């Protein structure tokens, strides 16, 4: 009754039935790998929710205060108000610590899921025409995600976050010609920065989430408009799309997915402590800590900085500061190549036809091999970000580990790429398992016993 | 450090220093068991450190190691060393408490090294300890005391096993690549405070769950990729179709 009345009310004013009918009957993909993007969406929602909670208690201020809260080893210590409010969130605010931990774990997982989602799109060729634009939007979402992570990591104003900012600053400084000027503009002064926290705060809670929200809308709108891709299979062709109806099956599945995602991050946050800023202590430009690392998603940049030999390069009469190459050139090249990839590939394959069917990775050995090679390069960089930890773990000299990783950064991609190419070629010929291949059949004989029979005989 | 705190530290330092002179004298007097200590030393240590601890090319002279040096090296199990070409590491002590004090008093008699320090963790000031630890030790041992690499293949170990006495001994003798922190730099009160902070770090449970060795983002990243992504894939396969 009520439902009917409401629907009629709305329909008479907004004419929603036509649209909703179409919506509810839409089909959605049902291969499991298509759910990764959706999980990233839910993680984003969780980040927004817990983030709003945190804004109620966080104060983005560099004003110096004297701590008087319940964490004894810091009582009476001078610190920024930002750091103090973080201690309060962790020790004073009810459920503050678990909210902080959910927020941080969700951020780490969000970026990991984005990367896996991107790899799925890459290796199955889902970025090909007509979906190049959405590939670009997706990459921009990843970039924004990295920026969100970095800006958030730097907000607590603890010892480690200050170290991260200092590295960011030195990388910005290293840009030829405009570096000093640009670093000044972004960081608002020389290190240690005066009001960087309040700047980062606006960027972290307003600009980046706003931009992510807009682009996510665009991302989904394009998926909606272009419909999803699918692996080739019975009934699945370039023109015909197979999937689950929005209502009721897909909606229920989506709900389940949301709650399972939420429980995953809550489980992580409940079991594992993350970023115990109270142990690290307030930021102090005169102090450093051994083993200071950025969060994993910046580990590859940290690794590049650590692997870069101390060369000094002069060009056009300028000395190009060393951090420029690992800190800006590598990420710059990485993202430019990724952005241009759909066109690069189309140029080499001369394939400009639209595609709605996905590739199996083995069917495109060259792309798969290049992808694996790239992935192994970044894995080496990522591992290098923790070279000191590895040296400690395996009891090896740090310098030796670094040299080994420098060689690996070039050797591993080559080996992995060639191996992948060969494996793909090998697998390519084999047909997919369909389940109706000829096999043995078990037949019951007249006397009640069983025997196997060749398929032809049946 | 605030001005007030600085004055407080200074006052403590002066007071403790005055007290420390008498304490030092008492601890330096050779204890009983000197002869037993000499015998143990000749058997277990002399092949590297030479008869009478004068040093060989396998081990340094122990003339200035003192009771603190010997007690630290023996109670942390670093000595007797297995391989003189590797960094000594912590392992179960090879001698019992009595033998250790006998060897220590023998080593102390070889020269005038530092005595075994007196440590009163209860006297320590936790806040001062946190500050001093961050200023003097965190750069090598990490701010969470998880340890770290110090270059040239050497490692500053994690500090979760060292007893308060071993902590202060390490400061006074500077084992291996670690610098020496003498009473002039870090007073007894400072040393007690650092020891009490390390006890606090070890004993107070992590409020946020499992600490993951407190090595920070590396362990957290591993959890996200192994456990987090693992669960996400399981969830996807549970909700979605496999083929």
């Amino acid at each position: 009754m009520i439902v009917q009345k409401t629907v009629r009310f709305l329909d008479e004013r907004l004419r929603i039935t036509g649209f909703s009918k179409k919506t509810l009957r839409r089909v959605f993909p049902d291969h499991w790998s298509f759910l990764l993007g959706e999980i990233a969406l839910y993680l984003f929602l969780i980040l927004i929710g817990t983030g709003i909670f945190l804004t109620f208690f966080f104060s983005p201020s560099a004003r110096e205060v004297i701590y008087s809260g319940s964490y004894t080893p810091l009582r009476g210590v001078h610190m920024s108000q930002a750091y103090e409010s973080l201690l309060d969130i962790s020790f004073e605010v009810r459920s503050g610590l678990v909210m902080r931990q959910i927020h941080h774990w969700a951020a780490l997982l969000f970026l990991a899921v984005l990367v896996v989602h991107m790899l799925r799109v890459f290796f199955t060729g889902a970025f090909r025409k007509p979906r190049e634009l959405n590939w670009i939007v997706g990459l921009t979402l990843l970039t924004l995600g990295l920026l969100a992570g970095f800006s958030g990591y730097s907000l607590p104003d603890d010892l480690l976050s200050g170290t991260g900012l200092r590295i960011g600053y030195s990388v910005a400084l290293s840009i030829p010609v405009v570096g000093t000027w640009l670093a000044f503009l972004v960081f608002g002064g020389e290190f240690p920065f005066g009001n960087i926290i309040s700047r980062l705060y606006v960027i972290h809670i307003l600009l980046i989430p706003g931009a992510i929200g807009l682009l996510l809308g665009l991302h989904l709108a394009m998926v909606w408009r272009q419909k999803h891709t699918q692996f080739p299979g019975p009934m699945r062709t370039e023109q015909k799309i197979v999937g689950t109806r929005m209502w009721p099956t897909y909606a229920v599945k989506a709900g389940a997915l949301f709650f399972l995602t939420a429980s995953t991050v809550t489980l992580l946050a409940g079991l594992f402590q993350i970023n115990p800023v109270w142990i690290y202590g307030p930021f102090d430009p005169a102090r450093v800590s051994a083993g200071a690392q950025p969060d994993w998603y910046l580990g590859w940049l940290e690794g590049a900085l650590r692997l870069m030999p101390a060369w000094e390069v002069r060009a056009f009469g300028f000395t190009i500061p060393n951090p420029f190459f690992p800190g800006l050139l590598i990420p710059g090249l990485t993202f430019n190549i990724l952005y241009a990839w759909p066109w690069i590939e189309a140029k080499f394959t001369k394939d400009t036809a639209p595609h709605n069917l996905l590739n199996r990775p083995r069917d495109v050995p060259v792309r798969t091999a290049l992808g694996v090679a790239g992935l192994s390069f970044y894995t080496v960089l990522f591992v290098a970000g923790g070279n000191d930890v590895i040296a400690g773990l395996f009891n090896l000299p740090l310098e030796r580990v670094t040299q080994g990783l420098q060689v690996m950064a070039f050797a591993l991609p080559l080996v992995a790429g060639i191996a992948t190419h060969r494996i793909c070629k090998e697998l390519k010929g084999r047909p997919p398992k369909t389940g109706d291949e000829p096999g043995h059949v078990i037949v019951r004989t007249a006397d009640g016993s069983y025997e196997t029979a060749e398929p032809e005989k049946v | 450090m605030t001005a007030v705190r600085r004055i407080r530290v200074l006052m403590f330092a002066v007071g403790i220093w005055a007290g420390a002179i008498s304490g030092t004298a008492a601890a330096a007097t050779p204890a009983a068991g000197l002869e037993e200590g000499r015998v143990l030393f000749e058997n277990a240590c002399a092949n590297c450190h030479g008869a009478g601890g004068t040093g060989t090319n396998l081990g340094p002279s122990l003339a200035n190691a003192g009771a603190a040096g010997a007690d630290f090296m023996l109670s942390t199990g670093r000595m007797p060393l297995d391989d003189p070409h590797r960094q000594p590491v912590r392992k179960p002590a090879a001698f019992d408490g009595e033998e250790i004090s006998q060897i220590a008093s023998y080593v102390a008699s070889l020269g005038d090294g530092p005595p075994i320090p007196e440590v009163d963790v209860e006297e320590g000031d936790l806040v001062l300890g946190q500050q001093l630890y961050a200023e003097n030790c965190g750069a090598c041992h990490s701010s969470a005391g998880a340890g770290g690499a110090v270059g040239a293949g050497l490692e500053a170990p994690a500090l979760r096993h060292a007893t308060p006495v071993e902590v202060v001994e390490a400061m006074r003798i500077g084992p291996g690549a670690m610098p020496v922190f003498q009473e002039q730099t870090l007073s007894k009160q400072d040393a007690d405070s650092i020891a009490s902070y390390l006890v606090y770090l070890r004993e107070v449970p992590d409020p946020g769950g499992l600490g993951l060795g407190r090595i920070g983002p590396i362990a957290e990243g591993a959890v996200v990729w192994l456990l987090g992504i693992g669960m996400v894939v399981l969830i996807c396969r549970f909700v979605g179709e496999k083929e």
Side-chain angles (χ1 to χ4, degrees):
Chain A
M1 258 307 271
I2 279 266
V3 177
Q4 251 171 25
K5 268 196 178 155
T6 323
V7 169
R8 185 160 324 134
F9 175 88
L10 287 176
D11 194 37
E12 281 168 6
R13 285 159 186 82
L14 303 172
R15 304 222 220 127
I16 53 163
T17 32
F19 175 72
S20 339
K21 242 191 203 152
K22 255 167 80 188
T23 308
L24 295 181
R25 277 212 221 113
R26 266 190 88 90
V27 298
F28 282 80
D30 38 31
H31 189 267
W32 68 272
S33 67
F34 282 71
L35 301 177
L36 289 164
E38 204 176 321
I39 287 191
L41 169 67
Y42 297 147
L43 285 167
F44 178 66
L45 295 181
I46 293 169
L47 280 163
I48 295 281
T50 49
I52 290 175
F53 178 90
L54 293 174
T55 60
F56 294 153
F57 305 101
F58 181 73
S59 49
S61 160
R63 201 166 63 82
E64 195 174 88
V65 295
I66 298 178
Y67 181 64
S68 59
S70 60
Y71 185 66
T72 19
L74 290 177
R75 220 178 265 168
V77 171
H78 288 238
M79 54 181 64
S80 69
Q81 204 171 13
Y83 184 71
E84 184 201 35
S85 68
L86 222 91
L87 292 180
D88 286 347
I89 290 173
S90 308
F91 295 110
E92 258 69 47
V93 175
R94 182 166 300 218
S95 74
L97 182 57
V98 78
M99 284 294 187
R100 240 197 85 209
Q101 299 205 144
I102 294 177
H103 193 71
H104 204 143
W105 281 117
L108 296 192
L109 193 59
F110 175 62
L111 282 155
V113 171
L114 278 190
V115 168
V116 181
H117 174 58
M118 185 186 90
L119 292 177
R120 195 277 289 168
V121 169
F122 179 86
F123 283 113
T124 58
F127 56 82
R128 288 172 302 169
K129 191 175 173 186
R131 294 183 176 77
E132 306 100 316
L133 289 180
N134 224 5
W135 169 255
I136 286 186
V137 172
L139 272 171
T140 312
L141 280 169
L142 180 63
T143 319
L144 287 170
L146 290 175
L147 289 177
F150 181 73
S151 57
Y153 183 76
S154 305
L155 283 180
D157 204 26
D158 63 309
L159 198 57
L160 291 194
S161 71
T163 312
L165 277 180
R166 192 198 324 237
I167 294 176
Y169 178 68
S170 70
V171 167
L173 268 187
S174 75
I175 303 174
V177 190
V178 295
T180 329
W181 187 80
L182 197 72
F184 211 82
L185 189 74
V186 174
F187 291 90
E190 274 182 22
F191 187 85
F193 321 107
N195 60 351
I196 187 75
I197 301 284
S198 51
R199 273 185 197 208
L200 281 176
Y201 190 55
V202 176
I203 293 173
H204 183 75
I205 70 162
L206 184 70
L207 297 184
I208 294 177
I212 291 184
L214 278 179
L215 286 183
L216 244 173
L218 193 61
H219 199 61
L220 296 180
M222 283 206 239
V223 173
W224 191 273
R225 175 103 193 132
Q226 300 180 317
K227 309 216 168 53
H228 65 260
T229 50
Q230 56 193 351
F231 283 108
M235 313 256 296
R236 293 162 195 249
T237 66
E238 290 284 3
Q239 282 77 37
K240 208 160 173 191
I241 190 164
V242 179
T244 316
R245 282 259 164 94
M246 169 84 158
W247 188 258
T249 320
Y250 196 78
V252 173
K253 280 189 171 185
L257 209 55
F258 174 80
F259 287 113
L260 287 171
T261 307
S263 37
T264 302
V265 277
T266 316
L267 192 72
L268 288 178
L271 285 181
F272 302 106
Q273 176 165 292
I274 188 162
N275 203 21
V277 287
W278 54 91
I279 294 183
Y280 303 146
F283 177 61
D284 177 341
R287 288 181 193 166
V288 283
S289 167
Q293 250 93 27
D295 272 345
W296 78 262
Y297 45 82
L298 292 180
W300 57 289
L301 287 177
E302 173 81 15
L305 284 166
R306 291 186 186 199
L307 284 194
M308 181 71 196
W311 292 331
E312 203 176 83
V313 180
R314 291 185 60 83
F316 311 112
F318 289 103
T319 307
I320 302 179
N322 189 280
F324 173 75
F325 300 97
L328 279 166
L329 201 63
I330 289 201
L333 275 179
T334 305
F335 275 91
N336 276 310
I337 291 176
L338 282 174
Y339 271 116
W341 186 263
W343 289 277
I344 297 176
E345 189 180 298
K347 184 148 176 56
F348 279 96
T349 54
K350 304 206 169 51
D351 175 6
T352 49
H355 294 278
N356 291 319
L357 283 184
L358 294 175
N359 299 124
R360 290 188 310 166
R362 66 181 70 166
D363 295 334
V364 251
V366 176
R367 181 206 295 146
T368 307
L370 286 174
V372 169
L375 205 57
S376 50
F377 176 66
Y378 292 105
T379 309
V380 174
L381 290 190
F382 176 71
V383 170
N387 58 355
D388 51 343
V389 176
I390 296 170
L393 218 58
F394 297 102
N395 230 329
L396 290 168
L398 183 60
E399 295 73 12
R400 198 72 70 66
V401 172
T402 308
Q403 283 163 2
L405 287 169
Q406 280 168 341
V407 174
M408 290 259 277
F410 293 97
L412 192 69
L414 210 65
V415 174
I418 292 172
T420 309
H421 193 258
R422 295 208 56 169
I423 295 173
C424 288
K425 282 253 158 111
E426 188 85 355
L427 289 174
K428 198 173 163 182
R430 295 190 201 165
K433 278 214 187 81
T434 51
D436 49 22
E437 304 156 63
H440 292 289
V441 175
I442 297 171
V443 183
R444 191 173 173 179
T445 52
D447 58 351
S449 68
Y450 296 88
E451 70 177 24
T452 50
E454 291 302 314
E456 308 77 75
K457 282 207 241 155
V458 183
Chain B
M1 218 189 271
T2 63
V4 176
R5 181 164 305 285
R6 225 168 270 211
I7 293 169
R8 253 179 69 197
V9 170
L10 208 67
M11 275 172 15
F12 268 125
V14 173
I16 295 305
W17 195 61
I21 297 172
S22 54
T24 315
T29 33
L34 203 63
E35 181 52 24
E36 291 92 326
R38 192 189 64 76
V39 173
L40 286 169
F41 186 88
E42 296 299 330
N43 286 337
C45 326
N47 53 337
C48 293
H49 290 289
T54 47
T56 70
N57 56 357
L58 289 180
S61 154
L62 299 185
N64 295 317
D71 187 59
F72 175 82
M73 291 292 170
L74 292 172
S75 67
T76 63
R78 282 182 165 73
M79 297 290 148
L81 198 60
D82 303 323
D83 178 356
H85 303 294
R86 305 210 79 180
Q87 181 183 11
V89 290
R90 192 181 188 91
K91 51 185 189 302
F95 300 96
D96 65 25
E98 199 187 343
E99 290 165 331
I100 289 179
S101 77
Q102 288 164 349
I103 301 176
S105 51
Y106 171 71
V107 172
S109 75
L110 299 175
D112 54 359
I116 297 176
E118 264 180 63
V119 184
D120 308 296
V121 175
E122 284 78 32
E123 305 275 291
D125 175 347
L126 203 54
V127 180
L128 179 62
Q130 196 278 335
Q131 299 266 299
L132 290 173
Y133 179 81
E135 264 162 39
N136 296 293
C137 323
C140 295
H141 291 283
S142 100
S143 30
V150 293
L154 296 174
E155 200 200 344
L159 297 181
R160 49 180 161 271
H161 305 293
T163 64
V165 172
E166 287 164 7
V167 168
V168 180
E169 282 171 346
M171 290 164 48
R172 299 301 183 223
I173 63 164
M178 177 167 156
V180 178
F181 298 88
Q182 275 159 346
E183 295 246 350
Q184 292 92 303
T185 328
L186 293 174
S187 67
K188 175 170 186 299
Q189 165 71 10
D190 293 345
D192 286 347
S193 303
I194 292 177
S196 78
Y197 177 61
L198 286 174
V199 170
Y200 178 91
L201 267 192
R202 178 183 333 160
E203 310 229 307
V204 174
D206 284 309
L210 301 178
L212 301 174
R214 296 201 182 133
I215 57 169
I218 293 217
E220 293 157 8
V223 167
V224 156
W225 275 97
L226 299 178
L227 213 65
I229 289 294
M231 281 174 66
V232 163
V233 168
L234 281 182
I235 289 172
C236 286
R237 293 186 66 102
F238 173 67
V239 174
E241 303 290 326
K242 270 130 219 126
E243 272 307 318

